Amino acid sequence: MESLDAEGWARLFNSCRESAWHLEMRDHYAVAEERADIEKWRAGEWGPEEDAASKAGWLDLMRATAARGVELRRARIVSEPVTEYIRFEHEGTPQNIAAGEDVRWLPRTRASGLALPGNDCWIFDSSTVLFNHFTGDGGWVGNELSKDPQVAEVCVKAFESVWKLGIPHSEYTLI
């Protein structure tokens, strides 16, 4: 298992030619770099400008990737009522969309019949999968890269099934 740094993420996106899709299935993430942001958000000291500044490097990477014609899609499976973290994430999603991502939300109750991978993942050009591993309480563990065609096929099918049922961000109301 490895942990990609900013250069590793940039290499993956820069080598991508057609599509980069992200499947998120957790209701809570507790990654260290977001702790201060969430505290400011809880205190009412957080808005679109702060969110965009906090993830500026990511948003720049998404803009550059989208500008090359790469399709960027993010599908999030969430329990309802949503967690505090999902509220925070939902509020920051317009910045992702402005940078070129298309985002959909799928209530977990509508995902019961879907076959899903065991971990969140990024799927690049339908052939490379980067799994993101977390602890039970949402802490970051690391990444696992797979170029196995069978693994990619499972993840592509899972993502597409979630995407088909997902609700576009502009239409999804938090419960």
Side-chain angles (χ1 to χ4, degrees):
M1 190 155 343
E2 61 183 287
S3 287
L4 293 179
D5 59 11
E7 289 179 15
W9 282 102
R11 275 193 303 276
L12 275 171
F13 280 93
N14 291 335
S15 66
C16 187
R17 299 290 166 239
E18 297 172 10
S19 60
W21 304 337
H22 191 194
L23 179 58
E24 296 180 47
M25 301 180 286
R26 297 182 57 89
D27 287 318
H28 177 75
Y29 296 87
V31 292
E33 57 268 15
E34 287 183 330
R35 284 188 191 128
D37 296 349
I38 291 171
E39 289 304 318
K40 289 177 184 173
W41 175 78
R42 281 183 186 133
E45 302 166 359
W46 193 258
E49 298 81 19
E50 291 80 7
D51 188 72
S54 175
K55 57 188 182 187
W58 178 260
L59 297 175
D60 288 345
L61 180 59
M62 292 303 96
R63 278 189 281 277
T65 304
R68 293 193 338 269
V70 174
E71 175 190 60
L72 300 170
R73 295 193 292 174
R74 185 183 296 261
R76 294 173 168 149
I77 300 173
V78 295
S79 299
E80 293 178 325
V82 299
T83 62
E84 177 186 55
Y85 182 86
I86 295 300
R87 289 186 184 286
F88 169 77
E89 194 171 53
H90 187 271
E91 197 171 298
T93 297
Q95 283 68 253
N96 295 72
I97 292 169
E101 292 185 41
D102 192 2
V103 180
R104 291 190 183 179
W105 302 81
L106 180 62
R108 195 169 307 281
T109 55
R110 295 178 52 191
S112 297
L114 303 181
L116 301 168
N119 295 289
D120 288 11
C121 60
W122 275 96
I123 307 159
F124 298 93
D125 293 334
S126 299
S127 62
T128 301
V129 179
L130 181 71
F131 290 103
N132 296 315
H133 295 288
F134 299 91
T135 63
D137 63 1
W140 178 251
V141 174
N143 304 106
E144 175 186 357
L145 191 65
S146 175
K147 293 185 180 247
D148 181 322
Q150 290 178 318
V151 170
E153 181 181 5
V154 165
C155 292
V156 166
K157 285 181 180 178
F159 183 89
E160 289 289 13
S161 65
V162 171
W163 191 257
K164 181 178 177 183
L165 295 173
I167 302 165
H169 178 76
S170 63
E171 298 172 23
Y172 181 67
T173 303
L174 293 179
I175 294 174

PDB file of all heavy atoms in Angstrom, residues 40-68:
ATOM      1  N   LYS A  40     -13.691  25.255  11.277  1.00  0.00           N
ATOM      2  CA  LYS A  40     -14.107  26.596  10.843  1.00  0.00           C
ATOM      3  C   LYS A  40     -15.527  26.562  10.291  1.00  0.00           C
ATOM      4  O   LYS A  40     -16.318  27.472  10.535  1.00  0.00           O
ATOM      5  CB  LYS A  40     -13.138  27.138   9.792  1.00  0.00           C
ATOM      6  CG  LYS A  40     -11.776  27.498  10.349  1.00  0.00           C
ATOM      7  CD  LYS A  40     -10.850  27.967   9.242  1.00  0.00           C
ATOM      8  CE  LYS A  40      -9.463  28.226   9.781  1.00  0.00           C
ATOM      9  NZ  LYS A  40      -8.505  28.519   8.708  1.00  0.00           N
ATOM     10  N   TRP A  41     -15.856  25.513   9.551  1.00  0.00           N
ATOM     11  CA  TRP A  41     -17.205  25.366   8.993  1.00  0.00           C
ATOM     12  C   TRP A  41     -18.228  25.266  10.122  1.00  0.00           C
ATOM     13  O   TRP A  41     -19.259  25.931  10.079  1.00  0.00           O
ATOM     14  CB  TRP A  41     -17.232  24.121   8.092  1.00  0.00           C
ATOM     15  CG  TRP A  41     -18.572  23.772   7.538  1.00  0.00           C
ATOM     16  CD1 TRP A  41     -19.213  24.367   6.484  1.00  0.00           C
ATOM     17  CD2 TRP A  41     -19.434  22.731   7.988  1.00  0.00           C
ATOM     18  NE1 TRP A  41     -20.427  23.749   6.262  1.00  0.00           N
ATOM     19  CE2 TRP A  41     -20.580  22.741   7.176  1.00  0.00           C
ATOM     20  CE3 TRP A  41     -19.345  21.787   9.006  1.00  0.00           C
ATOM     21  CZ2 TRP A  41     -21.630  21.845   7.346  1.00  0.00           C
ATOM     22  CZ3 TRP A  41     -20.394  20.888   9.181  1.00  0.00           C
ATOM     23  CH2 TRP A  41     -21.511  20.934   8.358  1.00  0.00           C
ATOM     24  N   ARG A  42     -17.919  24.448  11.132  1.00  0.00           N
ATOM     25  CA  ARG A  42     -18.823  24.304  12.292  1.00  0.00           C
ATOM     26  C   ARG A  42     -19.035  25.642  12.989  1.00  0.00           C
ATOM     27  O   ARG A  42     -20.119  25.925  13.485  1.00  0.00           O
ATOM     28  CB  ARG A  42     -18.227  23.328  13.311  1.00  0.00           C
ATOM     29  CG  ARG A  42     -18.391  21.889  12.959  1.00  0.00           C
ATOM     30  CD  ARG A  42     -17.838  21.017  14.077  1.00  0.00           C
ATOM     31  NE  ARG A  42     -17.858  19.636  13.674  1.00  0.00           N
ATOM     32  CZ  ARG A  42     -16.843  18.800  13.826  1.00  0.00           C
ATOM     33  NH1 ARG A  42     -15.718  19.209  14.396  1.00  0.00           N
ATOM     34  NH2 ARG A  42     -16.946  17.557  13.422  1.00  0.00           N
ATOM     35  N   ALA A  43     -17.981  26.458  13.034  1.00  0.00           N
ATOM     36  CA  ALA A  43     -18.039  27.747  13.725  1.00  0.00           C
ATOM     37  C   ALA A  43     -18.676  28.839  12.863  1.00  0.00           C
ATOM     38  O   ALA A  43     -18.778  29.984  13.292  1.00  0.00           O
ATOM     39  CB  ALA A  43     -16.634  28.170  14.146  1.00  0.00           C
ATOM     40  N   GLY A  44     -19.089  28.490  11.629  1.00  0.00           N
ATOM     41  CA  GLY A  44     -19.693  29.482  10.748  1.00  0.00           C
ATOM     42  C   GLY A  44     -18.677  30.400  10.095  1.00  0.00           C
ATOM     43  O   GLY A  44     -19.027  31.469   9.600  1.00  0.00           O
ATOM     44  N   GLU A  45     -17.420  29.999  10.105  1.00  0.00           N
ATOM     45  CA  GLU A  45     -16.337  30.814   9.541  1.00  0.00           C
ATOM     46  C   GLU A  45     -15.863  30.251   8.208  1.00  0.00           C
ATOM     47  O   GLU A  45     -14.700  30.387   7.849  1.00  0.00           O
ATOM     48  CB  GLU A  45     -15.161  30.854  10.531  1.00  0.00           C
ATOM     49  CG  GLU A  45     -15.523  31.409  11.882  1.00  0.00           C
ATOM     50  CD  GLU A  45     -14.455  31.137  12.932  1.00  0.00           C
ATOM     51  OE1 GLU A  45     -13.436  30.496  12.622  1.00  0.00           O
ATOM     52  OE2 GLU A  45     -14.660  31.564  14.085  1.00  0.00           O
ATOM     53  N   TRP A  46     -16.755  29.626   7.476  1.00  0.00           N
ATOM     54  CA  TRP A  46     -16.374  28.906   6.255  1.00  0.00           C
ATOM     55  C   TRP A  46     -17.409  29.175   5.178  1.00  0.00           C
ATOM     56  O   TRP A  46     -18.603  29.071   5.414  1.00  0.00           O
ATOM     57  CB  TRP A  46     -16.331  27.413   6.560  1.00  0.00           C
ATOM     58  CG  TRP A  46     -15.675  26.579   5.522  1.00  0.00           C
ATOM     59  CD1 TRP A  46     -16.307  25.811   4.590  1.00  0.00           C
ATOM     60  CD2 TRP A  46     -14.293  26.399   5.302  1.00  0.00           C
ATOM     61  NE1 TRP A  46     -15.390  25.166   3.801  1.00  0.00           N
ATOM     62  CE2 TRP A  46     -14.145  25.512   4.237  1.00  0.00           C
ATOM     63  CE3 TRP A  46     -13.151  26.923   5.906  1.00  0.00           C
ATOM     64  CZ2 TRP A  46     -12.900  25.122   3.753  1.00  0.00           C
ATOM     65  CZ3 TRP A  46     -11.921  26.518   5.442  1.00  0.00           C
ATOM     66  CH2 TRP A  46     -11.806  25.633   4.366  1.00  0.00           C
ATOM     67  N   GLY A  47     -16.941  29.522   4.011  1.00  0.00           N
ATOM     68  CA  GLY A  47     -17.828  29.751   2.882  1.00  0.00           C
ATOM     69  C   GLY A  47     -17.148  29.298   1.603  1.00  0.00           C
ATOM     70  O   GLY A  47     -16.073  28.683   1.635  1.00  0.00           O
ATOM     71  N   PRO A  48     -17.732  29.622   0.473  1.00  0.00           N
ATOM     72  CA  PRO A  48     -17.169  29.184  -0.807  1.00  0.00           C
ATOM     73  C   PRO A  48     -15.732  29.643  -1.043  1.00  0.00           C
ATOM     74  O   PRO A  48     -14.927  28.887  -1.589  1.00  0.00           O
ATOM     75  CB  PRO A  48     -18.114  29.808  -1.840  1.00  0.00           C
ATOM     76  CG  PRO A  48     -19.392  30.031  -1.114  1.00  0.00           C
ATOM     77  CD  PRO A  48     -19.009  30.313   0.309  1.00  0.00           C
ATOM     78  N   GLU A  49     -15.405  30.870  -0.621  1.00  0.00           N
ATOM     79  CA  GLU A  49     -14.044  31.370  -0.833  1.00  0.00           C
ATOM     80  C   GLU A  49     -13.023  30.566  -0.031  1.00  0.00           C
ATOM     81  O   GLU A  49     -11.963  30.193  -0.542  1.00  0.00           O
ATOM     82  CB  GLU A  49     -13.931  32.860  -0.465  1.00  0.00           C
ATOM     83  CG  GLU A  49     -14.803  33.773  -1.293  1.00  0.00           C
ATOM     84  CD  GLU A  49     -16.259  33.812  -0.812  1.00  0.00           C
ATOM     85  OE1 GLU A  49     -16.553  33.434   0.348  1.00  0.00           O
ATOM     86  OE2 GLU A  49     -17.115  34.209  -1.620  1.00  0.00           O
ATOM     87  N   GLU A  50     -13.356  30.277   1.234  1.00  0.00           N
ATOM     88  CA  GLU A  50     -12.459  29.501   2.079  1.00  0.00           C
ATOM     89  C   GLU A  50     -12.325  28.073   1.552  1.00  0.00           C
ATOM     90  O   GLU A  50     -11.231  27.515   1.538  1.00  0.00           O
ATOM     91  CB  GLU A  50     -12.961  29.478   3.535  1.00  0.00           C
ATOM     92  CG  GLU A  50     -12.873  30.806   4.243  1.00  0.00           C
ATOM     93  CD  GLU A  50     -14.024  31.773   3.908  1.00  0.00           C
ATOM     94  OE1 GLU A  50     -14.985  31.376   3.224  1.00  0.00           O
ATOM     95  OE2 GLU A  50     -13.930  32.945   4.332  1.00  0.00           O
ATOM     96  N   ASP A  51     -13.438  27.506   1.106  1.00  0.00           N
ATOM     97  CA  ASP A  51     -13.407  26.145   0.570  1.00  0.00           C
ATOM     98  C   ASP A  51     -12.531  26.082  -0.677  1.00  0.00           C
ATOM     99  O   ASP A  51     -11.679  25.200  -0.804  1.00  0.00           O
ATOM    100  CB  ASP A  51     -14.833  25.669   0.245  1.00  0.00           C
ATOM    101  CG  ASP A  51     -14.867  24.211  -0.131  1.00  0.00           C
ATOM    102  OD1 ASP A  51     -14.692  23.359   0.761  1.00  0.00           O
ATOM    103  OD2 ASP A  51     -15.047  23.909  -1.328  1.00  0.00           O
ATOM    104  N   ALA A  52     -12.723  27.027  -1.581  1.00  0.00           N
ATOM    105  CA  ALA A  52     -11.925  27.052  -2.818  1.00  0.00           C
ATOM    106  C   ALA A  52     -10.442  27.251  -2.511  1.00  0.00           C
ATOM    107  O   ALA A  52      -9.581  26.622  -3.134  1.00  0.00           O
ATOM    108  CB  ALA A  52     -12.436  28.140  -3.752  1.00  0.00           C
ATOM    109  N   ALA A  53     -10.132  28.110  -1.540  1.00  0.00           N
ATOM    110  CA  ALA A  53      -8.724  28.336  -1.182  1.00  0.00           C
ATOM    111  C   ALA A  53      -8.113  27.084  -0.563  1.00  0.00           C
ATOM    112  O   ALA A  53      -6.965  26.738  -0.850  1.00  0.00           O
ATOM    113  CB  ALA A  53      -8.614  29.520  -0.216  1.00  0.00           C
ATOM    114  N   SER A  54      -8.885  26.388   0.260  1.00  0.00           N
ATOM    115  CA  SER A  54      -8.383  25.199   0.938  1.00  0.00           C
ATOM    116  C   SER A  54      -8.027  24.083  -0.036  1.00  0.00           C
ATOM    117  O   SER A  54      -7.069  23.357   0.174  1.00  0.00           O
ATOM    118  CB  SER A  54      -9.423  24.696   1.943  1.00  0.00           C
ATOM    119  OG  SER A  54      -8.998  23.493   2.528  1.00  0.00           O
ATOM    120  N   LYS A  55      -8.812  23.944  -1.084  1.00  0.00           N
ATOM    121  CA  LYS A  55      -8.559  22.863  -2.054  1.00  0.00           C
ATOM    122  C   LYS A  55      -8.126  23.411  -3.413  1.00  0.00           C
ATOM    123  O   LYS A  55      -8.375  22.807  -4.447  1.00  0.00           O
ATOM    124  CB  LYS A  55      -9.759  21.927  -2.150  1.00  0.00           C
ATOM    125  CG  LYS A  55     -11.080  22.558  -2.508  1.00  0.00           C
ATOM    126  CD  LYS A  55     -12.215  21.539  -2.370  1.00  0.00           C
ATOM    127  CE  LYS A  55     -13.546  22.135  -2.769  1.00  0.00           C
ATOM    128  NZ  LYS A  55     -14.676  21.255  -2.507  1.00  0.00           N
ATOM    129  N   ALA A  56      -7.416  24.532  -3.402  1.00  0.00           N
ATOM    130  CA  ALA A  56      -6.989  25.198  -4.639  1.00  0.00           C
ATOM    131  C   ALA A  56      -6.145  24.288  -5.528  1.00  0.00           C
ATOM    132  O   ALA A  56      -6.339  24.261  -6.749  1.00  0.00           O
ATOM    133  CB  ALA A  56      -6.229  26.485  -4.323  1.00  0.00           C
ATOM    134  N   GLY A  57      -5.224  23.553  -4.953  1.00  0.00           N
ATOM    135  CA  GLY A  57      -4.384  22.655  -5.751  1.00  0.00           C
ATOM    136  C   GLY A  57      -5.201  21.603  -6.460  1.00  0.00           C
ATOM    137  O   GLY A  57      -4.988  21.315  -7.648  1.00  0.00           O
ATOM    138  N   TRP A  58      -6.159  21.026  -5.736  1.00  0.00           N
ATOM    139  CA  TRP A  58      -7.045  20.028  -6.334  1.00  0.00           C
ATOM    140  C   TRP A  58      -7.892  20.648  -7.449  1.00  0.00           C
ATOM    141  O   TRP A  58      -8.012  20.080  -8.534  1.00  0.00           O
ATOM    142  CB  TRP A  58      -7.949  19.418  -5.260  1.00  0.00           C
ATOM    143  CG  TRP A  58      -8.897  18.426  -5.842  1.00  0.00           C
ATOM    144  CD1 TRP A  58     -10.214  18.613  -6.156  1.00  0.00           C
ATOM    145  CD2 TRP A  58      -8.580  17.095  -6.240  1.00  0.00           C
ATOM    146  NE1 TRP A  58     -10.728  17.478  -6.706  1.00  0.00           N
ATOM    147  CE2 TRP A  58      -9.743  16.527  -6.764  1.00  0.00           C
ATOM    148  CE3 TRP A  58      -7.414  16.338  -6.190  1.00  0.00           C
ATOM    149  CZ2 TRP A  58      -9.783  15.231  -7.247  1.00  0.00           C
ATOM    150  CZ3 TRP A  58      -7.454  15.036  -6.665  1.00  0.00           C
ATOM    151  CH2 TRP A  58      -8.634  14.498  -7.188  1.00  0.00           C
ATOM    152  N   LEU A  59      -8.466  21.785  -7.177  1.00  0.00           N
ATOM    153  CA  LEU A  59      -9.321  22.437  -8.172  1.00  0.00           C
ATOM    154  C   LEU A  59      -8.520  22.820  -9.415  1.00  0.00           C
ATOM    155  O   LEU A  59      -9.016  22.678 -10.548  1.00  0.00           O
ATOM    156  CB  LEU A  59     -10.013  23.656  -7.564  1.00  0.00           C
ATOM    157  CG  LEU A  59     -10.976  23.345  -6.402  1.00  0.00           C
ATOM    158  CD1 LEU A  59     -11.505  24.639  -5.800  1.00  0.00           C
ATOM    159  CD2 LEU A  59     -12.107  22.424  -6.823  1.00  0.00           C
ATOM    160  N   ASP A  60      -7.286  23.257  -9.232  1.00  0.00           N
ATOM    161  CA  ASP A  60      -6.424  23.561 -10.384  1.00  0.00           C
ATOM    162  C   ASP A  60      -6.173  22.306 -11.210  1.00  0.00           C
ATOM    163  O   ASP A  60      -6.213  22.345 -12.444  1.00  0.00           O
ATOM    164  CB  ASP A  60      -5.083  24.145  -9.930  1.00  0.00           C
ATOM    165  CG  ASP A  60      -5.198  25.564  -9.409  1.00  0.00           C
ATOM    166  OD1 ASP A  60      -6.238  26.223  -9.651  1.00  0.00           O
ATOM    167  OD2 ASP A  60      -4.240  26.015  -8.741  1.00  0.00           O
ATOM    168  N   LEU A  61      -5.930  21.180 -10.537  1.00  0.00           N
ATOM    169  CA  LEU A  61      -5.703  19.917 -11.237  1.00  0.00           C
ATOM    170  C   LEU A  61      -6.954  19.496 -12.000  1.00  0.00           C
ATOM    171  O   LEU A  61      -6.874  19.046 -13.147  1.00  0.00           O
ATOM    172  CB  LEU A  61      -5.280  18.826 -10.239  1.00  0.00           C
ATOM    173  CG  LEU A  61      -4.992  17.439 -10.806  1.00  0.00           C
ATOM    174  CD1 LEU A  61      -3.879  17.483 -11.852  1.00  0.00           C
ATOM    175  CD2 LEU A  61      -4.656  16.477  -9.666  1.00  0.00           C
ATOM    176  N   MET A  62      -8.128  19.681 -11.397  1.00  0.00           N
ATOM    177  CA  MET A  62      -9.377  19.318 -12.078  1.00  0.00           C
ATOM    178  C   MET A  62      -9.613  20.218 -13.293  1.00  0.00           C
ATOM    179  O   MET A  62     -10.008  19.745 -14.355  1.00  0.00           O
ATOM    180  CB  MET A  62     -10.574  19.409 -11.114  1.00  0.00           C
ATOM    181  CG  MET A  62     -10.570  18.359 -10.006  1.00  0.00           C
ATOM    182  SD  MET A  62     -10.523  16.652 -10.591  1.00  0.00           S
ATOM    183  CE  MET A  62      -8.774  16.283 -10.492  1.00  0.00           C
ATOM    184  N   ARG A  63      -9.358  21.515 -13.144  1.00  0.00           N
ATOM    185  CA  ARG A  63      -9.530  22.432 -14.277  1.00  0.00           C
ATOM    186  C   ARG A  63      -8.609  22.054 -15.434  1.00  0.00           C
ATOM    187  O   ARG A  63      -9.028  22.018 -16.589  1.00  0.00           O
ATOM    188  CB  ARG A  63      -9.262  23.876 -13.839  1.00  0.00           C
ATOM    189  CG  ARG A  63     -10.456  24.529 -13.161  1.00  0.00           C
ATOM    190  CD  ARG A  63     -10.235  26.019 -12.947  1.00  0.00           C
ATOM    191  NE  ARG A  63      -9.383  26.295 -11.808  1.00  0.00           N
ATOM    192  CZ  ARG A  63      -9.798  26.342 -10.545  1.00  0.00           C
ATOM    193  NH1 ARG A  63     -11.065  26.169 -10.260  1.00  0.00           N
ATOM    194  NH2 ARG A  63      -8.949  26.607  -9.569  1.00  0.00           N
ATOM    195  N   ALA A  64      -7.359  21.756 -15.129  1.00  0.00           N
ATOM    196  CA  ALA A  64      -6.396  21.385 -16.175  1.00  0.00           C
ATOM    197  C   ALA A  64      -6.796  20.073 -16.839  1.00  0.00           C
ATOM    198  O   ALA A  64      -6.684  19.925 -18.063  1.00  0.00           O
ATOM    199  CB  ALA A  64      -4.996  21.271 -15.577  1.00  0.00           C
ATOM    200  N   THR A  65      -7.289  19.125 -16.052  1.00  0.00           N
ATOM    201  CA  THR A  65      -7.702  17.830 -16.597  1.00  0.00           C
ATOM    202  C   THR A  65      -8.936  17.997 -17.476  1.00  0.00           C
ATOM    203  O   THR A  65      -8.987  17.464 -18.589  1.00  0.00           O
ATOM    204  CB  THR A  65      -7.963  16.828 -15.448  1.00  0.00           C
ATOM    205  OG1 THR A  65      -6.784  16.725 -14.635  1.00  0.00           O
ATOM    206  CG2 THR A  65      -8.317  15.459 -15.983  1.00  0.00           C
ATOM    207  N   ALA A  66      -9.901  18.749 -17.005  1.00  0.00           N
ATOM    208  CA  ALA A  66     -11.122  18.997 -17.787  1.00  0.00           C
ATOM    209  C   ALA A  66     -10.800  19.749 -19.074  1.00  0.00           C
ATOM    210  O   ALA A  66     -11.401  19.484 -20.124  1.00  0.00           O
ATOM    211  CB  ALA A  66     -12.142  19.772 -16.953  1.00  0.00           C
ATOM    212  N   ALA A  67      -9.855  20.678 -19.013  1.00  0.00           N
ATOM    213  CA  ALA A  67      -9.487  21.473 -20.194  1.00  0.00           C
ATOM    214  C   ALA A  67      -8.914  20.596 -21.304  1.00  0.00           C
ATOM    215  O   ALA A  67      -8.993  20.958 -22.480  1.00  0.00           O
ATOM    216  CB  ALA A  67      -8.487  22.558 -19.811  1.00  0.00           C
ATOM    217  N   ARG A  68      -8.358  19.434 -20.935  1.00  0.00           N
ATOM    218  CA  ARG A  68      -7.848  18.494 -21.937  1.00  0.00           C
ATOM    219  C   ARG A  68      -8.953  17.603 -22.509  1.00  0.00           C
ATOM    220  O   ARG A  68      -8.685  16.724 -23.311  1.00  0.00           O
ATOM    221  CB  ARG A  68      -6.757  17.598 -21.330  1.00  0.00           C
ATOM    222  CG  ARG A  68      -5.498  18.329 -20.946  1.00  0.00           C
ATOM    223  CD  ARG A  68      -4.315  17.390 -20.644  1.00  0.00           C
ATOM    224  NE  ARG A  68      -4.663  16.031 -20.288  1.00  0.00           N
ATOM    225  CZ  ARG A  68      -4.871  15.576 -19.043  1.00  0.00           C
ATOM    226  NH1 ARG A  68      -4.768  16.401 -18.024  1.00  0.00           N
ATOM    227  NH2 ARG A  68      -5.154  14.314 -18.823  1.00  0.00           N
TER     228      ARG A  68
END
